[in-house]
């Protein structure tokens, strides 16, 4: 058995509610977007693709080891955006306004450990932290740039990251379902500020 596997962090309940509200505001403006189910909203760090069931344990252990020296941190979502860009939107995203550097560092810590396992290739494009809120159908591409511009001031709130999830997606009868295969806690120590000189 093979799992369509990825590494992700969850979003806070308040942020999830804000994301659902964003989708509800956007939905009447266009019928050319397939919205991500609110229960499936997350921030993907690394997409691995198909992973053999026997390799999942190794993936989980490698992720745990990589996270052991990373301290918990926070990130904030703010503003609506699109990939590859707002002029040619294929995916609608909630952007990370604060904490992107911490997410990038977490990605950089985990990726080499997974590459060492083999069977996983580094993505060609640079890692850009975001939460996918919807996938754009081709016919909606022309109307979306103006809509995206209207929601640049959207605020999604703060999420505190204490652990990373190894996840799998499965296309069931009711749509795509995500399951957690493993959890890796961030157990590093936060650097203490140096005392001010007297």
């Amino acid at each position: 058995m093979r799992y369509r596997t990825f590494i992700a962090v969850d979003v806070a309940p308040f942020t999830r509610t804000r994301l659902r509200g964003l989708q509800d505001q956007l939905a009447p403006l266009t019928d050319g977007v397939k919205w991500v189910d609110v229960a499936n909203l997350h921030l993907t760090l690394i997409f691995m693709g198909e992973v053999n069931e026997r390799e999942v344990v190794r993936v989980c252990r490698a992720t745990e080891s990589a996270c052991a020296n990373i301290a918990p941190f926070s990130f904030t979502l703010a503003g609506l955006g699109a990939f590859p860009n707002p002029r040619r939107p294929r995916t609608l995203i909630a952007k990370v306004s604060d904490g992107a550097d911490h997410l990038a560092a977490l990605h950089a810590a985990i990726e080499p450990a997974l590459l060492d396992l083999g069977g996983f290739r580094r993505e060609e494009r640079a890692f850009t932290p975001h939460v996918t809120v919807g996938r754009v159908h081709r016919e909606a591409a022309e109307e979306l740039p103006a809509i995206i511009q209207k929601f640049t001031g959207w605020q999604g709130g703060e999420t505190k990251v204490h652990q990373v999830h190894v996840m799998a997606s499965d296309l069931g009868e009711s749509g795509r379902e995500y399951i957690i295969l493993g959890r890796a806690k961030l157990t590093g120590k936060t650097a203490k500020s140096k005392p001010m000189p007297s």
Side-chain angles (χ1 to χ4, degrees):
M1 185 173 181
R2 298 180 68 83
Y3 293 99
R4 192 169 183 266
T5 306
F6 59 97
I7 314 298
V9 295
D10 205 355
V11 294
F14 172 79
T15 296
R16 191 176 299 277
T17 300
R18 294 288 296 163
L19 287 165
R20 174 61 182 271
L22 176 63
Q23 292 176 327
D24 289 344
Q25 292 179 73
L26 290 168
L29 303 179
T30 176
D31 58 1
V33 177
K34 179 176 177 56
W35 304 105
V36 177
D37 188 281
V38 66
N40 293 337
L41 292 167
H42 61 271
L43 192 151
T44 299
L45 293 168
I46 297 170
F47 177 71
M48 298 190 66
E50 299 290 329
V51 174
N52 191 291
E53 184 177 16
R54 291 173 297 180
E55 296 298 311
V56 168
V57 173
R58 293 179 66 202
V59 170
C60 291
R61 287 176 177 169
T63 304
E64 288 175 10
S65 177
C67 291
N69 294 320
I70 304 293
F73 62 90
S74 299
F75 69 89
T76 302
L77 294 181
L80 180 66
F83 282 149
N85 59 63
R87 295 185 305 279
R88 294 184 293 113
R90 302 305 302 156
T91 304
L92 291 182
I93 65 167
K95 299 192 291 186
V96 174
S97 59
D98 295 307
D101 54 341
H102 291 294
L103 290 163
L106 182 57
H107 171 273
I110 297 172
E111 187 180 56
L114 298 179
L115 288 171
D116 287 344
L117 297 178
F120 160 65
R121 286 176 19 183
R122 177 183 282 116
E123 287 194 37
E124 294 182 3
R125 66 183 181 185
F127 172 65
T128 303
H130 65 278
V131 173
T132 297
V133 296
R135 294 176 175 84
V136 180
H137 300 308
R138 190 177 301 276
E139 61 271 16
E142 291 186 5
E143 66 189 40
L144 282 173
I147 295 173
I148 293 170
Q149 185 63 33
K150 292 179 181 179
F151 288 86
T152 55
W154 174 83
Q155 297 291 319
E158 181 184 65
T159 289
K160 295 182 178 180
V161 181
H162 295 280
Q163 63 181 351
V164 170
H165 294 164
V166 178
M167 302 187 71
S169 64
D170 181 45
L171 192 58
E173 293 182 1
S174 58
R176 191 163 294 282
E177 300 175 353
Y178 293 143
I179 58 173
I180 297 176
L181 302 175
R183 294 178 172 85
K185 293 183 179 180
L186 305 185
T187 55
K189 302 297 182 182
T190 303
K192 296 181 179 179
S193 59
K194 295 181 179 180
M196 294 293 290
S198 56

